[in-house]
Amino acid sequence: MVFAPQRLLADFPAFFRVSEEVVAIVGGGEEALNKARLVAQTSARLRIVAQNVEPHLGDFIAVQGAEHIALPFAPEHLDGAKLVFVATGDEAQDRAIADSAREKKIPVNVVDRPALCDFLTPAIVNRAPVAIAIGSEGSAPVLTQMVREKIEAAFSPRLGDLADFAQSLRPRVERLVPKGLARRNFWRSFLSGPVARAIESGDREAAASAVNELIGQKQETSGYVWLVGAGPGAEDLLTLRAHRVLMEADVIVHDALVPEGIIAMGRRDAERLAVGKRKGCHSKSQNEINQLLVRLGQEGKRVVRLKSGDPLVFGRAGEEMAALRAANIGFEVVPGITSAFAAAADMELPLTLRGVASSLVFTTGHDMAGDVLPGWAKLAVSGATIAVYMGASVAACVAERLISAGLHEDTAVAVIENASRKDKRLFHGTLKDLPQLEERDELSGPVMVIIGDAVAGAAIDKAEALVAKPVPVAA
């Protein structure tokens, strides 16, 4: 299957070093004042170029001790500047000043004129020396402010104090704590344990004591594996716990069906290992994957084994857990949303329905390929809802054998390709229509088939007919 590529950024996020450098702002009104307040959060030297300034900006210049050139703009007023902000409010003048800045090879930002900007100013969460910048490529400044408010509420005002404390300890830690995994584990404990809590409460003495204790401890270097469900594909259906462990992992071992957008949620410096495992393309056998997880764990790595859907539903996690237990390597299962649930949500389909279907079966279509009718076929006849994973290639066999087992040929069927994703496709029909699924070569993504009387309650108006009905021709 070919996934839609992740949307690329038009702007590359970066931080300019402006300490003791001149940042020039051209303009004397409210927008110039807003940019001046932004620059004043740094240790840059502020220069305001405006023949006339509004009273609030004049007061700000006086309080900050900023340089003020009270003359009509001239290109030499930008000499020595590291950055330039233009806020005159006059488009022709803004353009001319921006051209002057570029001639001097100085990056320029023109307020409210993105087409004239070399860089854009983000919404900023300031926990100096920690800074979080939120941008929208100039498309939605109100949205970036809303995101900023949420981040402001999420992070302690003392986060910068914790960063400063960590910086002051770095030489000591490098001297006393071995490099590699032991040191990474030290910093994980430092940033999320008693030290961080002491800094949060403003108790520097308790923080210093906690650091001494932490340095004296032998850092745990044994490996650990998380078997993580990536869900059906939509990035916002990944669980919070899965996101957290992705950020902790040294190595991410992922299947082919996991979208790149989810893999990218891991630490930037984490090693990524693709292990394939999709129909017709098995880059590693299951035994090789088991051995890989064991080897990484024995090397002391923290590993995320990232699987599409839920690890415990047709994810062969049982074999991986057995291998990890045998090697005495700690592990944890992080559940994910399985494809049947996402597919049912897409179709607004009740998997169980009072008085109609009170049981649910998860199976694969390949269970119907053998000589013996699987036990769940009898449950289908008795009214259970059947969710068939990977059923597209054996749809005809599934339909034929269920009808032979006694399930009515007009039993409702839903087919969902790429459940939860933007490129999902929904189909509805009956059991006798199901063999037509094998003829739909355009369905290249993961396909879920749901069979049962409860399917009749789905929102079929959102779906295509699995089999096109002939149009009557008048005689």
Side-chain angles (χ1 to χ4, degrees):
M1 173 184 178
V2 177
F3 290 105
Q6 186 180 17
R7 187 184 186 279
L8 300 178
L9 291 171
D11 301 328
F12 181 77
F15 290 89
F16 288 101
R17 291 193 178 275
V18 296
S19 180
E20 300 305 319
E21 299 280 358
V22 172
V23 174
I25 300 175
V26 184
E30 182 180 355
E31 292 298 343
L33 175 59
N34 290 339
K35 295 302 182 186
R37 286 174 173 153
L38 187 66
V39 175
Q41 295 183 45
T42 74
S43 54
R45 293 157 49 204
L46 185 58
R47 177 188 297 167
I48 308 294
V49 181
Q51 187 170 17
N52 300 301
V53 298
E54 293 182 1
H56 288 309
L57 179 55
D59 293 342
F60 181 87
I61 291 171
V63 169
Q64 293 291 323
E67 178 187 1
H68 178 203
I69 299 177
L71 296 170
F73 173 78
E76 58 266 24
H77 296 156
L78 305 182
D79 288 351
K82 188 74 174 279
L83 299 175
V84 173
F85 291 92
V86 183
T88 70
D90 179 272
E91 183 172 2
Q93 189 176 7
D94 283 351
R95 186 180 298 276
I97 296 168
D99 289 343
S100 295
R102 289 195 185 92
E103 286 175 7
K104 295 177 179 291
K105 303 190 183 307
I106 306 172
V108 62
N109 173 278
V110 183
V111 175
D112 292 335
R113 306 192 199 282
L116 298 179
C117 293
D118 296 323
F119 68 94
L120 301 177
T121 52
I124 295 175
V125 177
N126 185 356
R127 299 288 189 271
V130 177
I132 303 169
I134 309 106
S136 64
E137 299 177 2
S139 63
V142 174
L143 176 60
T144 62
Q145 290 296 333
M146 290 172 62
V147 174
R148 173 193 160 189
E149 289 169 10
K150 293 181 181 296
I151 295 175
E152 288 275 13
F155 289 103
S156 164
R158 294 186 180 272
L159 186 65
D161 294 341
L162 183 62
D164 281 332
F165 191 35
Q167 179 61 30
S168 71
L169 291 169
R170 193 168 297 278
R172 182 181 173 198
V173 172
E174 289 177 354
R175 188 173 69 254
L176 298 176
V177 180
K179 188 177 181 180
L181 188 62
R183 192 175 296 171
R184 281 202 301 276
N185 287 344
F186 169 87
W187 287 118
R188 285 191 185 107
S189 300
F190 176 96
L191 295 169
S192 61
V195 179
R197 290 192 291 272
I199 292 292
E200 168 73 19
S201 63
D203 191 341
R204 197 73 173 219
E205 185 176 337
S209 176
V211 164
N212 291 336
E213 184 175 341
L214 189 60
I215 287 178
Q217 293 174 0
K218 181 180 179 182
Q219 295 302 315
E220 181 62 50
T221 56
S222 59
Y224 197 82
V225 177
W226 290 279
L227 306 175
V228 177
E235 294 169 22
D236 55 356
L237 288 182
L238 190 74
T239 67
L240 292 175
R241 184 181 297 180
H243 193 188
R244 175 179 61 80
V245 301
L246 273 168
M247 291 300 296
E248 292 185 28
D250 303 308
V251 184
I252 300 170
V253 179
H254 60 90
D255 283 346
L257 289 177
V258 179
E260 177 58 35
I262 290 178
I263 299 169
M265 292 181 180
R267 259 189 19 229
R268 187 168 54 184
D269 60 340
E271 184 179 5
R272 272 81 164 160
L273 299 176
V275 292
K277 294 207 66 185
R278 55 182 299 182
K279 183 182 174 183
C281 179
H282 293 252
S283 65
K284 284 189 182 296
S285 69
Q286 185 59 51
N287 186 53
E288 288 174 323
I289 293 171
N290 297 345
Q291 292 175 5
L292 173 64
L293 296 178
V294 168
R295 176 175 62 78
L296 292 170
Q298 289 172 338
E299 291 173 358
K301 302 290 180 62
R302 296 162 72 85
V303 182
V304 160
R305 170 71 174 103
L306 194 58
K307 300 164 174 282
S308 182
D310 181 275
L312 304 179
V313 180
F314 305 118
R316 302 188 72 172
E319 297 163 67
E320 294 170 0
M321 289 189 289
L324 293 167
R325 285 193 197 100
N328 200 28
I329 294 169
F331 67 87
E332 174 186 343
V333 178
V334 180
I337 294 176
T338 190
S339 297
F341 295 157
D346 287 338
M347 284 288 285
E348 300 176 14
L349 185 165
L351 290 170
T352 59
L353 189 62
R354 191 181 184 94
V356 176
S358 59
S359 57
L360 173 63
V361 174
F362 291 169
T363 185
T364 69
H366 303 289
D367 286 349
M368 299 295 275
D371 295 331
V372 179
L373 194 68
W376 59 259
K378 297 177 182 178
L379 292 174
V381 175
S382 66
T385 302
I386 308 298
V388 185
Y389 291 67
M390 301 168 285
S393 62
V394 290
C397 179
V398 170
E400 178 185 355
R401 300 196 67 184
L402 286 178
I403 291 171
S404 298
L407 194 61
H408 198 282
E409 65 177 13
D410 288 330
T411 301
V413 170
V415 175
I416 302 92
E417 179 197 25
N418 295 330
S420 83
R421 303 176 192 178
K422 292 180 181 179
D423 58 347
K424 62 179 176 283
R425 294 186 66 186
L426 313 177
F427 302 89
H428 70 88
T430 61
L431 192 58
K432 66 175 180 288
D433 301 328
L434 193 56
Q436 299 295 317
L437 185 60
E438 293 186 30
E439 299 178 11
R440 288 188 172 269
D441 296 333
E442 78 275 17
L443 300 183
S444 58
V447 172
M448 173 66 60
V449 178
I450 303 178
I451 304 166
D453 291 335
V455 178
I460 61 173
D461 57 306
K462 294 185 175 183
E464 305 173 41
L466 192 57
V467 176
K469 304 298 182 185
V471 178
V473 180

